[in-house]
Amino acid sequence: SPRVLPARLLLPRGRCAGFFVSAGSLMTAQRVLGVDPGTIVCGYGIIDVAGSRYTYVTSGVIRPVRNAPMPDRLCTVFRGIASLIEEYRPTVLAVEEAFYGDNPKTAIKLGQARGVILVQGVLAGMQVSEFSPRFIKQAVVGVGSATKEQIQYMVARILKLPSPPQPTDAADALATALCFAVQPHIKEADDRPLTRAQRQMKALGIL
């Protein structure tokens, strides 16, 4: 079975699937599953969103066996995401786009992981959104070049967590979910230059 490892964080009281409960009021919420794709470590984070109110649900990582064949690792990610969808019933899937850097092989592996994750969202009838790493940082921290530590700090602050979410993959996934919640107020620049790997993949018709 998939190794889905939850982060060690306290769940807020008064939470039930699809609703916020407070002082006798009942408010419908969207449940967002954010994912930081990977074939070695795949981060996930789930939040409830009602207007400008964000509530932490759960987060953690899916860890395929590191030296397993790629098909087996992708299957672990696929089953792990399926398990999360079945248990928590999110209505939105927010996925971080691959950071290509200068390594086409890494880009291809991340693309494969993203593929199995996106397929799960479509099969579950979820709304699917994708965001670049820079856009996520801009939305959550306010700076597109934010560090991992800055992302962890802001995620904890926004979600009122007792401590920064660990590991960083889970924090990145929560940031991706938060990006979906705040993205209508953020405009992403489209004029950023492509890296060498992106240019190669675009030439191949992959990007």
Side-chain angles (χ1 to χ4, degrees):
S1 60
R3 298 175 64 197
V4 182
L5 308 179
R8 294 182 179 178
L9 288 171
L10 298 175
L11 294 179
R13 294 182 179 179
R15 177 187 59 80
C16 60
F19 297 94
F20 287 114
V21 182
S22 62
S25 65
L26 201 60
M27 183 185 299
T28 303
Q30 280 185 301
R31 177 158 288 182
V32 185
L33 167 59
V35 182
D36 178 25
T39 58
I40 296 176
V41 180
C42 179
Y44 66 86
I46 301 177
I47 63 173
D48 283 336
V49 179
S52 59
R53 188 173 180 181
Y54 317 128
T55 301
Y56 174 85
V57 177
T58 190
S59 64
V61 293
I62 301 167
R63 290 188 186 273
V65 177
R66 181 179 288 267
N67 60 352
M70 181 58 68
D72 292 346
R73 285 152 61 184
L74 293 174
C75 185
T76 299
V77 173
F78 185 85
R79 289 176 173 171
I81 296 297
S83 176
L84 291 169
I85 292 173
E86 181 178 3
E87 180 176 357
Y88 293 99
R89 303 293 180 183
T91 56
V92 178
L93 174 65
V95 183
E96 181 177 318
E97 293 177 347
F99 176 73
Y100 297 98
D102 287 323
N103 191 332
K105 289 184 178 179
T106 299
I108 291 172
K109 290 178 181 178
L110 285 176
Q112 291 174 325
R114 279 172 30 81
V116 300
I117 293 164
L118 294 173
V119 166
Q120 275 290 4
V122 173
L123 289 175
M126 300 167 66
Q127 177 182 343
V128 178
S129 297
E130 303 173 72
F131 305 103
S132 71
R134 185 176 183 85
F135 187 47
I136 294 168
K137 294 174 183 178
Q138 181 183 349
V140 176
V141 181
V143 181
S145 57
T147 65
K148 293 284 189 182
E149 292 75 16
Q150 289 172 325
I151 293 172
Q152 287 176 295
Y153 172 81
M154 286 304 300
V155 166
R157 183 174 179 180
I158 293 170
L159 295 176
K160 298 179 174 60
L161 301 176
S163 61
Q166 298 285 353
T168 56
D169 308 87
D172 287 346
L174 286 168
T176 304
L178 284 168
C179 181
F180 171 83
V182 304
Q183 58 89 21
H185 310 291
I186 306 293
K187 185 176 181 181
E188 183 170 17
D190 296 322
D191 57 353
R192 285 171 287 131
L194 297 177
T195 66
R196 183 181 61 164
Q198 287 174 311
R199 290 194 299 270
Q200 291 173 342
M201 295 188 73
K202 191 169 185 179
L204 294 171
I206 300 174
L207 181 60

